[in-house]
């Protein structure tokens, strides 16, 4: 019974965090790291795998959002072929999305498929320079 309760609680916790964008410490990234140019104002980096169904939907969301804001670029990375970056950014599942500011600092991240509105909000914070810390106490999770 205890195992069942622990499993349910863990499942609920993971479901609550799935796709949620949260603030992170600033980690610098260069175009050389990604193998692609960074966006002038911000970059949306997506770690994907070939068999990942939510990665396809995430790709559509990030492409759409990057197309809405001038100077924003979407870069998709195959997690299986870039294990160095997977380890460096502690990617535990796909899709994982990193939001980089104009200087190439990782300022937000999400594990799982993020909602479009959350990506837009995170991107707005990165572009406006309001990404120097969590904007809401719940973002500290």
């Amino acid at each position: 019974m205890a195992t069942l309760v622990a499993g349910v609680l863990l499942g609920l916790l993971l479901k609550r965090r799935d796709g949620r964008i949260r603030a992170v410490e600033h980690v610098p990234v260069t175009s050389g790291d990604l193998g692609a140019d960074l966006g002038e104002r911000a970059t949306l980096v997506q770690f994907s795998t070939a068999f990942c169904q939510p990665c396809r939907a995430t790709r559509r969301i990030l492409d759409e959002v990057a197309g809405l804001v001038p100077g924003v670029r979407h870069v998709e990375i195959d997690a299986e072929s870039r294990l160095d970056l997977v380890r460096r950014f502690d990617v535990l599942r796909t899709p994982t999305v990193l939001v980089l500011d104009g200087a190439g600092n990782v300022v937000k991240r999400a594990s799982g498929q993020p909602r479009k509105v959350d990506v837009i909000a995170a991107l707005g914070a990165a572009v406006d320079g309001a990404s120097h810390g969590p904007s809401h106490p719940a973002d500290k999770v």
Side-chain angles (χ1 to χ4, degrees), residues 73-86:
R73 182 177 179 123
H74 172 217
V75 176
E76 189 169 2
I77 296 175
D78 178 23
E80 294 174 308
S81 66
R82 293 299 310 267
L83 293 177
D84 57 323
L85 292 177
V86 167

Side-chain angles (χ1 to χ4, degrees), residues 2 8 13 15 22 28 38 41 44 46 49 53 57 74 87 90 94 97 99-100 105 111 116 129:
V8 168
L13 176 65
K15 182 174 174 78
R22 61 190 189 280
L38 298 177
R41 297 176 69 196
L44 301 170
Q46 175 185 349
T49 53
Q53 186 66 26
H74 172 217
R87 288 184 192 103
D90 198 26
T94 57
V97 176
V99 180
L100 282 58
N105 294 308
S111 294
K116 182 177 178 181

